[in-house]
Amino acid sequence: MKSVCLFFQVHQPFRHRRYRFFDIDTDHYYYDDYTNETIMREIAEKSYLPTNEILLKLVDKLEGKFKVAFSITGVALEQFVLYAPEVIESFQKLAKSGCVEFLAETYSHSLASLNDRDIFEKQVKLHEQKIIELFGQKPRVFRNTEMIYSDEIGDKIEKMGYSAILTEGAKHVLGWKSPNYLYASALNPKLKILMRNFKLSDDISFRFSNTNWDKFPLTAEKFVGWLENTEPNEEVINLFLSYGSFGDRQSKESGIFDFLETLSQAIIQNRNLKFATPTEVVEELQPVSVVSVPYPISWADEERDLTAWLGNKMQKEAFDKLYHLKQKMDKCSDTNLIKDWNYLQVSDHFYYMSTKSFSDGEVHNSFNPFDSPYEAFINYMNVLSDFKIRLDLLIPDDKTENEISNLQKNISKKDVKIKKLEAQLIQLQKEKKRRKK
Amino acid sequence: MFGWEFPPHISGGLGTACFGLTKGLAELNNIDVTFVVPKAFGDEDQSAMKLVGANNIPVAKSKIQFDDIQKKIDYYEVNSPIIPYVDEDEFWELKSGKYSKKSQFIETDEGFKIDFSGKYELNLLEEIYNYAAVAGIIAGNTDFDIIHAHDWLAYPAGIAAKNISGKPLVIHVHATEFDRSGGNINRKVYSIEREGMELADKIIAVSNFTKNIITDKYGISPHKITTVYNAVEPVFRKNSNKINKHINEKVVTFLGRITQQKGPEYFIEAANLVLKKTDGVRFVMAGSGDMMNAMITRIAELGIADKFSFTGFLEGGDVQKMFQLTDVFVMPSVSEPFGIVPLEAMQSEVPVIISNQSGVSEILENAIKINFWDTYAMADAIFGLLNYPALSSYFKEEGKTEVDKLRWIDSAQKVLEVYKLALVK
């Protein structure tokens, strides 16, 4: 029996407002509330709420046989609280059903896994707390930002106590191997890897309503046929999608909701197929082989690498300048700064600076609030400059700090000495008086 | 080919573009170009020219050999005593050069509208029609397949040549009266332009921006118009002795005529915003023009005169030097049919900010594009380029790579396609 592992990513960034350089050091509010609220309301109504509704129905109707996994970023959850609290409620209902697994990830949907272990761990822990608090589940499987994965990241994850990670079944990593098995990390085989079947996943999320596609129209029956017709001994088909695929990228009118419903029923009715959450997959299956990923992969673009976020000089500079502040952030306990720090790390900011859109096109442009990558970079750096000023004010440079503490030490040493000398002086004066007598 | 100017005697981008395109065409096979200009500069070697009969039609013929191309381009010069120039400054510059005593000067404004002063009574429009008459005669004596006329000064010449020879006419629009005048158009110039466009078999526009003006303001069918972008001559840095910056300031440069069309006032307003926040920046305005005094007044009013430098009109070599000193180049043009200067800046590895109201913005990727009136965005871009080194180093590298790919031979190839279409008709 083959398992179908259904996973959805839910993420929305806090988009920055147009932050000009003359705002630096005068205005410390960075966010475009109007846009953020508008987008959140729109996608909640078009996609998240109706899809959740269908999932709840399926959970109910299919008596626990329907299973699905989510990773919802911390910044998305914060925005739900602000702009669409009913979405949280509906996710909570799903959580109670026992058919939904919530995965761990970075709080900010950040690129911290590529930088510092401490920052990364902090981000993951912060997210975990939020998930426990809202959904009463402690995540066991990890899903990194945009499916970013490498051997090194896998090792970190395993040491943090997660049993498995989700990533892209990238061709250049798998080679002749099929994504439809459970794998283990070459560097640390204790960590299991679930590889996304990008062909079947993208058939739903990208091609579903494409009339130029030779397989159009896609029906549940057809899709189940494809699932069944995978190699006989293949064990798991990982369908990892962005949650906005339902109702947003594929509109309601395209029939995507009906498709989701009928497909789920057809899978359960099929003798050779069943649903499984990532944790169930890891418990039920044995890894068939190890996968070695020395250089990070992701699910973005044709290259499946990091170039969408860290492909050009501007992106690298912004990334370096951001994480350059990490030592100071360690000492920072100001809640406003910590909040901004979390929002600054959101990977979308780096995505907006990508110059790949010139060649790689639509996907990049459609999510970008900026007219050009240069504007995105300037805007981000302006915000970061202001943030740095605030941080420096609170936690001065190490140099000055050291100097001050050195001086203070000196002063206190001298204080002690002065007291000693004073005491001696008094002693001597007393002796003098005595002698006179 | 008819054009009003040809290097080295140029007043702006037109002559440069004509030269580049002619050279590009010469690189293609089977194209021979005859270029006719009204000869206006006495500093050329007149001994090499046969001047044909007086009032009548003084024609000079010489052969120009391009360095790297075996082919020769015929280069006719009509001896015109007129030098159209733009303002008083330039007039004095021209006047102080070595010109034959016969040369006379008339004063024109941006739109080549003639501003008569008692001293310079010659009429430019008259001259254009004299030029056209000569064109007709040349057309009668020469064997050719197609006529190509650059900008309005040469349209009547093109039409005359067409009337006499019956050969198809292609007109090349490098600018329109609407760009030069800022809406306050000269009727006569407009009607010459419109006549040229109507009588032409095909029209080449230097950008879609210009193509749109031709269709909207002159009522020409878009099917007749093809956009062919300009390119830029590659620079081979012969003397690599870079100028050392002696000032410890970052330099932001405006280079072009200081006229309404080029948007100098927006540059100043943006500079003022930048200066409120940063020190150690110098703004340079290289060029001259009728708005210069107004600009100086404005700078004084804002109290930022100590941060501004005016260089006056820069000659060929000085432009290169200026770019070597420049950290950011800004072209805030209000209406720019193409705009070749940013390409030259990029060749010198200078990051550029250009307005969306320019033809060149249609082809450039590695440039910051803003609307000319949005001084806040302009200031922000300047600030970003000065303060975030990754941005300027990105542009230095990528901009150079991009601009090196723009070649005149590719533009010439497209012009050839237009010729073929015109000949089929």
Side-chain angles (χ1 to χ4, degrees), chain A residues 315-338:
Chain A
Q315 293 170 309
K316 284 174 195 154
E317 165 98 340
F319 180 80
D320 289 344
K321 285 275 144 68
L322 170 72
Y323 285 115
H324 188 70
L325 305 176
K326 66 191 173 196
Q327 270 135 359
K328 282 197 178 180
M329 279 312 297
D330 273 347
K331 297 176 200 156
C332 175
S333 56
D334 181 277
T335 47
N336 283 330
L337 275 171
I338 291 172

mmCIF file of all heavy atoms in Angstrom, chain A residues 315-338:
data_model
loop_
_atom_site.group_PDB
_atom_site.id
_atom_site.type_symbol
_atom_site.label_atom_id
_atom_site.label_comp_id
_atom_site.label_asym_id
_atom_site.label_seq_id
_atom_site.Cartn_x
_atom_site.Cartn_y
_atom_site.Cartn_z
ATOM 1 N N GLN A 315 21.697 40.858 -2.393
ATOM 2 C CA GLN A 315 21.072 39.924 -1.458
ATOM 3 C C GLN A 315 22.077 39.458 -0.410
ATOM 4 O O GLN A 315 21.764 39.394 0.781
ATOM 5 C CB GLN A 315 20.506 38.725 -2.234
ATOM 6 C CG GLN A 315 19.342 39.109 -3.129
ATOM 7 C CD GLN A 315 18.955 37.984 -4.063
ATOM 8 O OE1 GLN A 315 19.791 37.412 -4.755
ATOM 9 N NE2 GLN A 315 17.668 37.658 -4.110
ATOM 10 N N LYS A 316 23.292 39.160 -0.874
ATOM 11 C CA LYS A 316 24.314 38.676 0.065
ATOM 12 C C LYS A 316 24.685 39.766 1.066
ATOM 13 O O LYS A 316 24.859 39.497 2.247
ATOM 14 C CB LYS A 316 25.546 38.207 -0.702
ATOM 15 C CG LYS A 316 25.308 36.848 -1.352
ATOM 16 C CD LYS A 316 26.469 36.447 -2.245
ATOM 17 C CE LYS A 316 26.036 35.291 -3.144
ATOM 18 N NZ LYS A 316 26.806 35.244 -4.390
ATOM 19 N N GLU A 317 24.787 40.978 0.565
ATOM 20 C CA GLU A 317 25.133 42.104 1.441
ATOM 21 C C GLU A 317 24.051 42.302 2.501
ATOM 22 O O GLU A 317 24.342 42.444 3.689
ATOM 23 C CB GLU A 317 25.290 43.379 0.604
ATOM 24 C CG GLU A 317 25.288 44.667 1.420
ATOM 25 C CD GLU A 317 26.670 45.194 1.706
ATOM 26 O OE1 GLU A 317 27.626 44.396 1.613
ATOM 27 O OE2 GLU A 317 26.791 46.396 2.013
ATOM 28 N N ALA A 318 22.811 42.317 2.075
ATOM 29 C CA ALA A 318 21.710 42.524 3.015
ATOM 30 C C ALA A 318 21.693 41.414 4.068
ATOM 31 O O ALA A 318 21.512 41.665 5.265
ATOM 32 C CB ALA A 318 20.385 42.570 2.259
ATOM 33 N N PHE A 319 21.909 40.196 3.604
ATOM 34 C CA PHE A 319 21.927 39.026 4.494
ATOM 35 C C PHE A 319 23.068 39.155 5.522
ATOM 36 O O PHE A 319 22.875 38.968 6.720
ATOM 37 C CB PHE A 319 22.103 37.773 3.630
ATOM 38 C CG PHE A 319 22.136 36.475 4.381
ATOM 39 C CD1 PHE A 319 20.958 35.875 4.801
ATOM 40 C CD2 PHE A 319 23.339 35.841 4.647
ATOM 41 C CE1 PHE A 319 20.977 34.661 5.483
ATOM 42 C CE2 PHE A 319 23.374 34.630 5.330
ATOM 43 C CZ PHE A 319 22.198 34.046 5.750
ATOM 44 N N ASP A 320 24.257 39.505 5.022
ATOM 45 C CA ASP A 320 25.407 39.652 5.923
ATOM 46 C C ASP A 320 25.198 40.777 6.931
ATOM 47 O O ASP A 320 25.485 40.634 8.105
ATOM 48 C CB ASP A 320 26.690 39.940 5.123
ATOM 49 C CG ASP A 320 27.149 38.714 4.355
ATOM 50 O OD1 ASP A 320 26.662 37.608 4.679
ATOM 51 O OD2 ASP A 320 27.970 38.862 3.434
ATOM 52 N N LYS A 321 24.698 41.889 6.432
ATOM 53 C CA LYS A 321 24.507 43.047 7.310
ATOM 54 C C LYS A 321 23.454 42.751 8.381
ATOM 55 O O LYS A 321 23.583 43.183 9.512
ATOM 56 C CB LYS A 321 24.096 44.275 6.490
ATOM 57 C CG LYS A 321 25.253 44.881 5.706
ATOM 58 C CD LYS A 321 26.059 45.868 6.568
ATOM 59 C CE LYS A 321 27.552 45.826 6.265
ATOM 60 N NZ LYS A 321 27.927 46.310 4.955
ATOM 61 N N LEU A 322 22.439 41.999 8.006
ATOM 62 C CA LEU A 322 21.401 41.638 8.972
ATOM 63 C C LEU A 322 21.997 40.778 10.086
ATOM 64 O O LEU A 322 21.891 41.108 11.266
ATOM 65 C CB LEU A 322 20.265 40.881 8.269
ATOM 66 C CG LEU A 322 19.238 40.234 9.194
ATOM 67 C CD1 LEU A 322 18.362 41.303 9.852
ATOM 68 C CD2 LEU A 322 18.361 39.241 8.438
ATOM 69 N N TYR A 323 22.666 39.695 9.690
ATOM 70 C CA TYR A 323 23.134 38.755 10.709
ATOM 71 C C TYR A 323 24.398 39.238 11.417
ATOM 72 O O TYR A 323 24.830 38.652 12.408
ATOM 73 C CB TYR A 323 23.263 37.349 10.130
ATOM 74 C CG TYR A 323 21.900 36.718 9.960
ATOM 75 C CD1 TYR A 323 21.386 36.398 8.708
ATOM 76 C CD2 TYR A 323 21.088 36.495 11.076
ATOM 77 C CE1 TYR A 323 20.115 35.862 8.569
ATOM 78 C CE2 TYR A 323 19.821 35.954 10.953
ATOM 79 C CZ TYR A 323 19.339 35.630 9.693
ATOM 80 O OH TYR A 323 18.078 35.107 9.576
ATOM 81 N N HIS A 324 24.959 40.306 10.910
ATOM 82 C CA HIS A 324 26.062 40.949 11.603
ATOM 83 C C HIS A 324 25.595 41.469 12.978
ATOM 84 O O HIS A 324 26.387 41.643 13.894
ATOM 85 C CB HIS A 324 26.566 42.109 10.741
ATOM 86 C CG HIS A 324 27.810 42.736 11.248
ATOM 87 N ND1 HIS A 324 29.026 42.101 11.211
ATOM 88 C CD2 HIS A 324 28.039 43.936 11.838
ATOM 89 C CE1 HIS A 324 29.938 42.881 11.746
ATOM 90 N NE2 HIS A 324 29.364 44.002 12.134
ATOM 91 N N LEU A 325 24.297 41.697 13.086
ATOM 92 C CA LEU A 325 23.743 42.259 14.317
ATOM 93 C C LEU A 325 23.423 41.204 15.371
ATOM 94 O O LEU A 325 22.895 41.517 16.438
ATOM 95 C CB LEU A 325 22.466 43.053 13.997
ATOM 96 C CG LEU A 325 22.581 44.162 12.949
ATOM 97 C CD1 LEU A 325 21.219 44.775 12.682
ATOM 98 C CD2 LEU A 325 23.558 45.237 13.410
ATOM 99 N N LYS A 326 23.731 39.938 15.061
ATOM 100 C CA LYS A 326 23.235 38.880 15.940
ATOM 101 C C LYS A 326 23.807 38.928 17.356
ATOM 102 O O LYS A 326 23.099 38.656 18.315
ATOM 103 C CB LYS A 326 23.451 37.514 15.298
ATOM 104 C CG LYS A 326 24.900 37.113 15.132
ATOM 105 C CD LYS A 326 25.010 35.887 14.245
ATOM 106 C CE LYS A 326 26.468 35.592 13.945
ATOM 107 N NZ LYS A 326 26.606 34.666 12.819
ATOM 108 N N GLN A 327 25.110 39.309 17.469
ATOM 109 C CA GLN A 327 25.677 39.342 18.816
ATOM 110 C C GLN A 327 24.974 40.362 19.704
ATOM 111 O O GLN A 327 24.701 40.108 20.865
ATOM 112 C CB GLN A 327 27.174 39.657 18.756
ATOM 113 C CG GLN A 327 27.995 38.388 18.653
ATOM 114 C CD GLN A 327 29.080 38.501 17.621
ATOM 115 O OE1 GLN A 327 29.203 39.533 16.958
ATOM 116 N NE2 GLN A 327 29.864 37.444 17.470
ATOM 117 N N LYS A 328 24.696 41.483 19.120
ATOM 118 C CA LYS A 328 23.988 42.505 19.889
ATOM 119 C C LYS A 328 22.573 42.060 20.218
ATOM 120 O O LYS A 328 22.052 42.353 21.287
ATOM 121 C CB LYS A 328 23.951 43.808 19.109
ATOM 122 C CG LYS A 328 25.261 44.537 19.184
ATOM 123 C CD LYS A 328 25.105 45.963 18.774
ATOM 124 C CE LYS A 328 26.441 46.649 18.914
ATOM 125 N NZ LYS A 328 26.348 48.048 18.534
ATOM 126 N N MET A 329 21.953 41.370 19.258
ATOM 127 C CA MET A 329 20.592 40.910 19.501
ATOM 128 C C MET A 329 20.561 39.901 20.651
ATOM 129 O O MET A 329 19.568 39.791 21.358
ATOM 130 C CB MET A 329 19.988 40.302 18.230
ATOM 131 C CG MET A 329 19.445 41.295 17.242
ATOM 132 S SD MET A 329 18.376 42.585 17.939
ATOM 133 C CE MET A 329 16.998 41.651 18.574
ATOM 134 N N ASP A 330 21.664 39.179 20.829
ATOM 135 C CA ASP A 330 21.748 38.240 21.949
ATOM 136 C C ASP A 330 21.570 38.955 23.278
ATOM 137 O O ASP A 330 21.011 38.417 24.220
ATOM 138 C CB ASP A 330 23.123 37.562 21.956
ATOM 139 C CG ASP A 330 23.117 36.325 21.080
ATOM 140 O OD1 ASP A 330 22.001 35.898 20.712
ATOM 141 O OD2 ASP A 330 24.191 35.812 20.763
ATOM 142 N N LYS A 331 22.090 40.167 23.339
ATOM 143 C CA LYS A 331 22.031 40.916 24.604
ATOM 144 C C LYS A 331 20.760 41.752 24.717
ATOM 145 O O LYS A 331 20.533 42.378 25.736
ATOM 146 C CB LYS A 331 23.240 41.860 24.681
ATOM 147 C CG LYS A 331 24.561 41.146 24.712
ATOM 148 C CD LYS A 331 25.693 42.164 24.697
ATOM 149 C CE LYS A 331 26.991 41.510 24.240
ATOM 150 N NZ LYS A 331 27.920 42.490 23.691
ATOM 151 N N CYS A 332 19.990 41.764 23.647
ATOM 152 C CA CYS A 332 18.834 42.663 23.610
ATOM 153 C C CYS A 332 17.597 42.011 24.213
ATOM 154 O O CYS A 332 17.272 40.866 23.899
ATOM 155 C CB CYS A 332 18.558 43.065 22.171
ATOM 156 S SG CYS A 332 17.080 44.050 21.989
ATOM 157 N N SER A 333 16.918 42.751 25.079
ATOM 158 C CA SER A 333 15.696 42.180 25.652
ATOM 159 C C SER A 333 14.491 43.080 25.370
ATOM 160 O O SER A 333 13.409 42.858 25.881
ATOM 161 C CB SER A 333 15.881 41.992 27.157
ATOM 162 O OG SER A 333 16.237 43.233 27.732
ATOM 163 N N ASP A 334 14.693 44.080 24.538
ATOM 164 C CA ASP A 334 13.619 45.007 24.196
ATOM 165 C C ASP A 334 12.611 44.306 23.265
ATOM 166 O O ASP A 334 12.979 43.836 22.191
ATOM 167 C CB ASP A 334 14.236 46.224 23.495
ATOM 168 C CG ASP A 334 13.200 47.251 23.122
ATOM 169 O OD1 ASP A 334 12.564 47.091 22.054
ATOM 170 O OD2 ASP A 334 13.012 48.194 23.897
ATOM 171 N N THR A 335 11.370 44.241 23.690
ATOM 172 C CA THR A 335 10.404 43.440 22.915
ATOM 173 C C THR A 335 10.143 44.004 21.524
ATOM 174 O O THR A 335 9.975 43.241 20.583
ATOM 175 C CB THR A 335 9.057 43.304 23.665
ATOM 176 O OG1 THR A 335 8.694 44.601 24.132
ATOM 177 C CG2 THR A 335 9.153 42.336 24.820
ATOM 178 N N ASN A 336 10.119 45.326 21.411
ATOM 179 C CA ASN A 336 9.878 45.915 20.091
ATOM 180 C C ASN A 336 10.998 45.579 19.123
ATOM 181 O O ASN A 336 10.763 45.259 17.959
ATOM 182 C CB ASN A 336 9.748 47.438 20.191
ATOM 183 C CG ASN A 336 8.393 47.819 20.736
ATOM 184 O OD1 ASN A 336 7.413 47.100 20.522
ATOM 185 N ND2 ASN A 336 8.347 48.913 21.482
ATOM 186 N N LEU A 337 12.235 45.685 19.613
ATOM 187 C CA LEU A 337 13.371 45.364 18.749
ATOM 188 C C LEU A 337 13.366 43.897 18.351
ATOM 189 O O LEU A 337 13.638 43.557 17.198
ATOM 190 C CB LEU A 337 14.684 45.717 19.464
ATOM 191 C CG LEU A 337 15.140 47.173 19.339
ATOM 192 C CD1 LEU A 337 16.320 47.437 20.252
ATOM 193 C CD2 LEU A 337 15.524 47.499 17.906
ATOM 194 N N ILE A 338 13.038 43.039 19.290
ATOM 195 C CA ILE A 338 13.015 41.601 18.994
ATOM 196 C C ILE A 338 11.957 41.302 17.924
ATOM 197 O O ILE A 338 12.180 40.531 17.001
ATOM 198 C CB ILE A 338 12.768 40.769 20.268
ATOM 199 C CG1 ILE A 338 14.006 40.871 21.167
ATOM 200 C CG2 ILE A 338 12.472 39.323 19.937
ATOM 201 C CD1 ILE A 338 13.848 40.265 22.538
#
